[in-house]
Structures are given as C-alpha cells and as structure tokens.
Amino acid sequence: MHAGWNFLGKRRRTSVGLYALAFLWVGIVGLPWVIQAWDMVASFNTVIIGLVIATGFSQALYMIGLTLAYQNGELSVVYPLLRSMPLVILPVVGFVLDLPGDVGIGAMVGIGLIVCGCVFLPMNHFRDIKLAHYVNWATLFALIAAAGTAGYSLIDDQATRLIRALPGLSLSAGHIALIYVFLQAWSTAGWLYLAIWIKPAWRENAPATFSLHSQALQTGILLMGTYAMVVWAMAYARDVSYVVAFRQISILLGVALGLTVLKERLTAPKLAGSVLVFAGLVWVALG
C-alpha cells in the first residue's frame, strides 16, 4: 500500500494545504468509528491525550518537511534520507530514554544494511553519492521529516501500549489501531492548519475545489490506511524499531513498480541497494 501510494503520488502535486485537507477528511470519515468507541476514548488519561497531541505534531512535522524537501531537492537524494534516517534515530532514542523493548545485535546489523541499501537504491551511478549532494536545504528538510517519522513512531508505540493496558477494554489490537489513527488524523489536521495560519504561503490547496477534495480524500485514505496497519503491527513487536525496519520492504516493491510499470532502467546501485535491503530484512528477522 505504501509503495502504491507513493507511485500514485508521483503524478500529483502535493502541498502542506493538500495534506491538511487530506487529514481533515480522514478525521471526518473516521468520526462514526470514534463515536462508536467513545467509551474507550473517554477513558483516556492525560498522558494518552498528551501523546495523541504530540503524535499529531510529529506527523505534521513530517508532512511539512516532506513537502519542503521535495520542493528544494531531487527525489534521488531526499527519498533515501527520509526512509533510512528513522532507522538510525529510533534505536538511539530508545536506548537513551530506556524505552521498553530491545534491539539485538543481529537486528542492528540488519538495520545498518537497510540504511545502506536506502542510500544506494535511487542512484543511477555509484559516483552519484557525493557529500555535496547532501549539504543543502533539501537535506535539512528531509532530516526534519525523518525526525517527525521517528517521533510519531515512538509516540504511537507508547500510546497504543497504554491504550491496550486500559482496564476493561475489550477491543482487538486492530480495532484500537484504527480508532487511534483517526484520532491522530484530527490531531495532525489541527497542527497543519495552525502551520498554514502561521505561514499563509503554505495555504495552497487548503480551500480546495471539488477535484482537490477528491484527491485529498484519496490521499488521506491511502496514507492513513497504510499507517493503521503499521500501528496494528506495533502490538506484536517487542521493539518499534523492528516495525520501522520491516516497513522498508516497500522500497523493494517501489523498485519493482518502477522497473515493470514505469520501465525504469535497472542500474548497478539499484541492484546493490535491493540486495542490501533484502539482506537487512532477513537479518532483522533472524536477529
């Protein structure tokens, strides 16, 4: 789903305003499910409420960083940073904050291989990897987006752990993930509209035509539908870094779509990157 959403997104013009509209639509669509599970939502303590507000901020930070990174740089430089840096940030933050879970040595080796693969995959030639390509505004915004990804991944793992531990809760992990993602959508929309109010230049596509409303709804459903399954997967992993690592399999699917549908050329870095990502996933699984 993630590879498919990015594949479709390549043909569309995105903006902070469009993402704000997309998250707003997800919140509206999910409102009946939130009302149905209101007993659970009403039992949230201040810690869980604070985490929902915080995850919206991190998600908004990711969307703003993503938009600005692609406005200032090329896909071949921005995308690998966006996908690989959270894998570096998460284990470090988890260790420093002494969060629940642990990442084995084998898994750390796997994460390192995935990061290297993410760097190689978009390149046409190995000589394309130069320090000068990464010291620019696009890199800064990409790192901000990556920090947002790492932030909401850690927050959502902690928040859903607390929700599943609420007394008397009879909902399944999948149902909790769905409700949580709808709440996250409302929080993210609020932060994005606040950002647009502070910086009106980002307002593009916020007051949208019918066609843009349709595009925003499609984008929101694909984006949040994908992430709902990620949050669901967190219920079965002892450390959130494993979930984030396995998400990178979408890169292999993206390469496959590029080669088969878009008829892109298979280059040596793409082949090396695919092998490294696959090997890293195996190491994470075994380690």
Side-chain angles (χ1 to χ4, degrees), residues 22 28-29 39 54 71 73 87 109 112 117 120-121 146 157 193-194 203 205 224 229 254 269-270 285:
I28 293 171
V29 169
D39 288 345
Q71 287 177 0
L87 286 170
V109 172
F120 283 134
L121 266 172
D157 181 50
Y193 277 108
L194 176 62
R203 183 176 291 274
N205 295 340
M224 300 307 289
M229 288 192 285
K270 276 185 183 178

PDB file of all heavy atoms in Angstrom, residues 22 28-29 39 54 71 73 87 109 112 117 120-121 146 157 193-194 203 205 224 229 254 269-270 285:
ATOM      1  N   ALA A  22      -6.301  16.480   3.495  1.00  0.00           N
ATOM      2  CA  ALA A  22      -6.351  15.020   3.496  1.00  0.00           C
ATOM      3  C   ALA A  22      -6.587  14.479   4.906  1.00  0.00           C
ATOM      4  O   ALA A  22      -7.440  13.603   5.123  1.00  0.00           O
ATOM      5  CB  ALA A  22      -5.054  14.451   2.915  1.00  0.00           C
ATOM      6  N   ILE A  28     -12.924  13.132   9.378  1.00  0.00           N
ATOM      7  CA  ILE A  28     -14.368  13.161   9.150  1.00  0.00           C
ATOM      8  C   ILE A  28     -14.897  11.767   8.842  1.00  0.00           C
ATOM      9  O   ILE A  28     -15.921  11.335   9.384  1.00  0.00           O
ATOM     10  CB  ILE A  28     -14.703  14.145   8.003  1.00  0.00           C
ATOM     11  CG1 ILE A  28     -14.397  15.583   8.433  1.00  0.00           C
ATOM     12  CG2 ILE A  28     -16.161  14.013   7.591  1.00  0.00           C
ATOM     13  CD1 ILE A  28     -14.498  16.598   7.305  1.00  0.00           C
ATOM     14  N   VAL A  29     -14.185  11.048   7.963  1.00  0.00           N
ATOM     15  CA  VAL A  29     -14.602   9.689   7.606  1.00  0.00           C
ATOM     16  C   VAL A  29     -14.589   8.772   8.828  1.00  0.00           C
ATOM     17  O   VAL A  29     -15.465   7.910   8.994  1.00  0.00           O
ATOM     18  CB  VAL A  29     -13.684   9.124   6.495  1.00  0.00           C
ATOM     19  CG1 VAL A  29     -13.924   7.625   6.293  1.00  0.00           C
ATOM     20  CG2 VAL A  29     -13.906   9.872   5.184  1.00  0.00           C
ATOM     21  N   ASP A  39     -16.542   5.121  24.604  1.00  0.00           N
ATOM     22  CA  ASP A  39     -16.241   4.679  25.968  1.00  0.00           C
ATOM     23  C   ASP A  39     -14.733   4.524  26.158  1.00  0.00           C
ATOM     24  O   ASP A  39     -14.193   4.885  27.207  1.00  0.00           O
ATOM     25  CB  ASP A  39     -16.942   3.349  26.266  1.00  0.00           C
ATOM     26  CG  ASP A  39     -18.438   3.524  26.436  1.00  0.00           C
ATOM     27  OD1 ASP A  39     -18.887   4.680  26.616  1.00  0.00           O
ATOM     28  OD2 ASP A  39     -19.170   2.508  26.364  1.00  0.00           O
ATOM     29  N   ALA A  54       0.848  15.037  20.734  1.00  0.00           N
ATOM     30  CA  ALA A  54       2.246  15.025  20.316  1.00  0.00           C
ATOM     31  C   ALA A  54       2.446  14.286  18.999  1.00  0.00           C
ATOM     32  O   ALA A  54       3.252  14.707  18.160  1.00  0.00           O
ATOM     33  CB  ALA A  54       3.106  14.393  21.408  1.00  0.00           C
ATOM     34  N   GLN A  71      10.389  20.179  -2.619  1.00  0.00           N
ATOM     35  CA  GLN A  71      10.395  21.460  -3.324  1.00  0.00           C
ATOM     36  C   GLN A  71      11.812  21.992  -3.519  1.00  0.00           C
ATOM     37  O   GLN A  71      12.057  22.818  -4.393  1.00  0.00           O
ATOM     38  CB  GLN A  71       9.565  22.490  -2.550  1.00  0.00           C
ATOM     39  CG  GLN A  71       8.062  22.267  -2.628  1.00  0.00           C
ATOM     40  CD  GLN A  71       7.278  23.258  -1.782  1.00  0.00           C
ATOM     41  OE1 GLN A  71       7.864  24.120  -1.121  1.00  0.00           O
ATOM     42  NE2 GLN A  71       5.963  23.133  -1.784  1.00  0.00           N
ATOM     43  N   GLY A  73      14.773  19.814  -3.495  1.00  0.00           N
ATOM     44  CA  GLY A  73      15.761  18.828  -3.910  1.00  0.00           C
ATOM     45  C   GLY A  73      15.182  17.739  -4.777  1.00  0.00           C
ATOM     46  O   GLY A  73      13.977  17.705  -5.045  1.00  0.00           O
ATOM     47  N   LEU A  87      15.519   4.775  10.924  1.00  0.00           N
ATOM     48  CA  LEU A  87      16.105   3.526  11.399  1.00  0.00           C
ATOM     49  C   LEU A  87      17.337   3.775  12.262  1.00  0.00           C
ATOM     50  O   LEU A  87      17.691   2.954  13.109  1.00  0.00           O
ATOM     51  CB  LEU A  87      16.486   2.630  10.212  1.00  0.00           C
ATOM     52  CG  LEU A  87      15.326   1.958   9.487  1.00  0.00           C
ATOM     53  CD1 LEU A  87      15.809   1.313   8.203  1.00  0.00           C
ATOM     54  CD2 LEU A  87      14.672   0.927  10.379  1.00  0.00           C
ATOM     55  N   VAL A 109      22.640  -4.990  12.902  1.00  0.00           N
ATOM     56  CA  VAL A 109      23.361  -5.208  11.644  1.00  0.00           C
ATOM     57  C   VAL A 109      22.395  -5.086  10.471  1.00  0.00           C
ATOM     58  O   VAL A 109      22.693  -4.451   9.451  1.00  0.00           O
ATOM     59  CB  VAL A 109      24.041  -6.597  11.636  1.00  0.00           C
ATOM     60  CG1 VAL A 109      24.615  -6.910  10.250  1.00  0.00           C
ATOM     61  CG2 VAL A 109      25.137  -6.655  12.689  1.00  0.00           C
ATOM     62  N   GLY A 112      21.504  -1.506   9.757  1.00  0.00           N
ATOM     63  CA  GLY A 112      22.607  -0.858   9.053  1.00  0.00           C
ATOM     64  C   GLY A 112      22.616  -1.194   7.573  1.00  0.00           C
ATOM     65  O   GLY A 112      22.845  -0.324   6.725  1.00  0.00           O
ATOM     66  N   GLY A 117      21.299   0.246   1.922  1.00  0.00           N
ATOM     67  CA  GLY A 117      20.507  -0.047   0.730  1.00  0.00           C
ATOM     68  C   GLY A 117      19.649   1.126   0.314  1.00  0.00           C
ATOM     69  O   GLY A 117      19.498   1.412  -0.883  1.00  0.00           O
ATOM     70  N   PHE A 120      21.724   3.583  -1.650  1.00  0.00           N
ATOM     71  CA  PHE A 120      22.100   3.138  -2.991  1.00  0.00           C
ATOM     72  C   PHE A 120      20.933   3.112  -3.978  1.00  0.00           C
ATOM     73  O   PHE A 120      21.113   3.422  -5.160  1.00  0.00           O
ATOM     74  CB  PHE A 120      22.711   1.733  -2.943  1.00  0.00           C
ATOM     75  CG  PHE A 120      24.128   1.697  -2.449  1.00  0.00           C
ATOM     76  CD1 PHE A 120      24.518   0.759  -1.504  1.00  0.00           C
ATOM     77  CD2 PHE A 120      25.070   2.596  -2.924  1.00  0.00           C
ATOM     78  CE1 PHE A 120      25.824   0.722  -1.048  1.00  0.00           C
ATOM     79  CE2 PHE A 120      26.378   2.565  -2.471  1.00  0.00           C
ATOM     80  CZ  PHE A 120      26.759   1.630  -1.524  1.00  0.00           C
ATOM     81  N   LEU A 121      19.747   2.739  -3.504  1.00  0.00           N
ATOM     82  CA  LEU A 121      18.641   2.425  -4.411  1.00  0.00           C
ATOM     83  C   LEU A 121      18.313   3.493  -5.450  1.00  0.00           C
ATOM     84  O   LEU A 121      18.135   3.163  -6.628  1.00  0.00           O
ATOM     85  CB  LEU A 121      17.381   2.092  -3.597  1.00  0.00           C
ATOM     86  CG  LEU A 121      17.172   0.613  -3.313  1.00  0.00           C
ATOM     87  CD1 LEU A 121      16.017   0.415  -2.349  1.00  0.00           C
ATOM     88  CD2 LEU A 121      16.886  -0.144  -4.607  1.00  0.00           C
ATOM     89  N   ALA A 146      12.378  13.104   8.630  1.00  0.00           N
ATOM     90  CA  ALA A 146      12.792  11.840   9.232  1.00  0.00           C
ATOM     91  C   ALA A 146      12.637  11.880  10.753  1.00  0.00           C
ATOM     92  O   ALA A 146      12.218  10.890  11.374  1.00  0.00           O
ATOM     93  CB  ALA A 146      14.242  11.523   8.857  1.00  0.00           C
ATOM     94  N   ASP A 157       3.838   3.982  19.447  1.00  0.00           N
ATOM     95  CA  ASP A 157       4.127   2.717  20.129  1.00  0.00           C
ATOM     96  C   ASP A 157       3.779   2.832  21.612  1.00  0.00           C
ATOM     97  O   ASP A 157       3.106   1.955  22.177  1.00  0.00           O
ATOM     98  CB  ASP A 157       5.601   2.364  19.946  1.00  0.00           C
ATOM     99  CG  ASP A 157       5.972   1.049  20.615  1.00  0.00           C
ATOM    100  OD1 ASP A 157       5.250   0.051  20.387  1.00  0.00           O
ATOM    101  OD2 ASP A 157       6.967   1.015  21.356  1.00  0.00           O
ATOM    102  N   TYR A 193      -3.192  22.941  10.026  1.00  0.00           N
ATOM    103  CA  TYR A 193      -3.931  24.178   9.808  1.00  0.00           C
ATOM    104  C   TYR A 193      -3.356  25.322  10.649  1.00  0.00           C
ATOM    105  O   TYR A 193      -3.391  26.486  10.237  1.00  0.00           O
ATOM    106  CB  TYR A 193      -5.417  23.978  10.089  1.00  0.00           C
ATOM    107  CG  TYR A 193      -6.144  23.391   8.899  1.00  0.00           C
ATOM    108  CD1 TYR A 193      -6.596  22.084   8.903  1.00  0.00           C
ATOM    109  CD2 TYR A 193      -6.362  24.156   7.749  1.00  0.00           C
ATOM    110  CE1 TYR A 193      -7.245  21.536   7.809  1.00  0.00           C
ATOM    111  CE2 TYR A 193      -7.010  23.626   6.647  1.00  0.00           C
ATOM    112  CZ  TYR A 193      -7.450  22.316   6.683  1.00  0.00           C
ATOM    113  OH  TYR A 193      -8.087  21.788   5.584  1.00  0.00           O
ATOM    114  N   LEU A 194      -2.804  24.998  11.810  1.00  0.00           N
ATOM    115  CA  LEU A 194      -2.114  26.016  12.606  1.00  0.00           C
ATOM    116  C   LEU A 194      -0.878  26.505  11.857  1.00  0.00           C
ATOM    117  O   LEU A 194      -0.596  27.716  11.818  1.00  0.00           O
ATOM    118  CB  LEU A 194      -1.718  25.437  13.968  1.00  0.00           C
ATOM    119  CG  LEU A 194      -0.901  26.370  14.886  1.00  0.00           C
ATOM    120  CD1 LEU A 194      -1.696  27.622  15.235  1.00  0.00           C
ATOM    121  CD2 LEU A 194      -0.468  25.628  16.153  1.00  0.00           C
ATOM    122  N   ARG A 203      -0.741  27.807   2.276  1.00  0.00           N
ATOM    123  CA  ARG A 203      -2.190  27.606   2.194  1.00  0.00           C
ATOM    124  C   ARG A 203      -2.616  26.955   0.885  1.00  0.00           C
ATOM    125  O   ARG A 203      -3.762  26.518   0.749  1.00  0.00           O
ATOM    126  CB  ARG A 203      -2.907  28.947   2.358  1.00  0.00           C
ATOM    127  CG  ARG A 203      -4.417  28.860   2.368  1.00  0.00           C
ATOM    128  CD  ARG A 203      -5.027  30.229   2.625  1.00  0.00           C
ATOM    129  NE  ARG A 203      -4.763  30.649   4.002  1.00  0.00           N
ATOM    130  CZ  ARG A 203      -5.525  30.309   5.036  1.00  0.00           C
ATOM    131  NH1 ARG A 203      -6.595  29.548   4.849  1.00  0.00           N
ATOM    132  NH2 ARG A 203      -5.241  30.726   6.242  1.00  0.00           N
ATOM    133  N   ASN A 205      -4.010  24.930  -1.944  1.00  0.00           N
ATOM    134  CA  ASN A 205      -4.886  23.755  -1.965  1.00  0.00           C
ATOM    135  C   ASN A 205      -5.644  23.531  -0.654  1.00  0.00           C
ATOM    136  O   ASN A 205      -6.324  22.522  -0.504  1.00  0.00           O
ATOM    137  CB  ASN A 205      -4.130  22.465  -2.311  1.00  0.00           C
ATOM    138  CG  ASN A 205      -3.578  22.490  -3.721  1.00  0.00           C
ATOM    139  OD1 ASN A 205      -4.033  23.259  -4.553  1.00  0.00           O
ATOM    140  ND2 ASN A 205      -2.589  21.661  -3.992  1.00  0.00           N
ATOM    141  N   MET A 224      -3.381   7.046   5.608  1.00  0.00           N
ATOM    142  CA  MET A 224      -3.727   6.615   6.959  1.00  0.00           C
ATOM    143  C   MET A 224      -4.120   5.142   7.004  1.00  0.00           C
ATOM    144  O   MET A 224      -3.929   4.477   8.027  1.00  0.00           O
ATOM    145  CB  MET A 224      -4.856   7.489   7.506  1.00  0.00           C
ATOM    146  CG  MET A 224      -4.501   8.975   7.583  1.00  0.00           C
ATOM    147  SD  MET A 224      -2.964   9.318   8.486  1.00  0.00           S
ATOM    148  CE  MET A 224      -3.469   8.954  10.164  1.00  0.00           C
ATOM    149  N   MET A 229      -2.193  -0.077   9.629  1.00  0.00           N
ATOM    150  CA  MET A 229      -1.624  -1.425   9.715  1.00  0.00           C
ATOM    151  C   MET A 229      -0.260  -1.411  10.404  1.00  0.00           C
ATOM    152  O   MET A 229       0.117  -2.378  11.069  1.00  0.00           O
ATOM    153  CB  MET A 229      -1.541  -2.041   8.321  1.00  0.00           C
ATOM    154  CG  MET A 229      -2.902  -2.433   7.770  1.00  0.00           C
ATOM    155  SD  MET A 229      -2.799  -3.450   6.298  1.00  0.00           S
ATOM    156  CE  MET A 229      -2.328  -2.211   5.097  1.00  0.00           C
ATOM    157  N   GLY A 254       8.600  -0.680  -4.482  1.00  0.00           N
ATOM    158  CA  GLY A 254       8.707   0.531  -5.293  1.00  0.00           C
ATOM    159  C   GLY A 254       9.658   0.341  -6.461  1.00  0.00           C
ATOM    160  O   GLY A 254       9.390   0.789  -7.584  1.00  0.00           O
ATOM    161  N   PRO A 269      23.617   0.386  -8.809  1.00  0.00           N
ATOM    162  CA  PRO A 269      23.241   0.792  -7.447  1.00  0.00           C
ATOM    163  C   PRO A 269      21.865   0.287  -7.034  1.00  0.00           C
ATOM    164  O   PRO A 269      21.658  -0.070  -5.872  1.00  0.00           O
ATOM    165  CB  PRO A 269      23.272   2.323  -7.528  1.00  0.00           C
ATOM    166  CG  PRO A 269      24.213   2.636  -8.624  1.00  0.00           C
ATOM    167  CD  PRO A 269      23.999   1.550  -9.636  1.00  0.00           C
ATOM    168  N   LYS A 270      20.896   0.263  -7.977  1.00  0.00           N
ATOM    169  CA  LYS A 270      19.570  -0.255  -7.650  1.00  0.00           C
ATOM    170  C   LYS A 270      19.643  -1.727  -7.264  1.00  0.00           C
ATOM    171  O   LYS A 270      19.000  -2.167  -6.304  1.00  0.00           O
ATOM    172  CB  LYS A 270      18.619  -0.085  -8.829  1.00  0.00           C
ATOM    173  CG  LYS A 270      17.968   1.279  -8.933  1.00  0.00           C
ATOM    174  CD  LYS A 270      16.967   1.314 -10.059  1.00  0.00           C
ATOM    175  CE  LYS A 270      16.363   2.709 -10.198  1.00  0.00           C
ATOM    176  NZ  LYS A 270      15.420   2.793 -11.329  1.00  0.00           N
ATOM    177  N   ALA A 285      14.893 -10.047  10.932  1.00  0.00           N
ATOM    178  CA  ALA A 285      14.017 -11.165  11.287  1.00  0.00           C
ATOM    179  C   ALA A 285      14.748 -12.193  12.154  1.00  0.00           C
ATOM    180  O   ALA A 285      14.206 -12.707  13.135  1.00  0.00           O
ATOM    181  CB  ALA A 285      13.470 -11.822  10.027  1.00  0.00           C
TER     182      ALA A 285
END
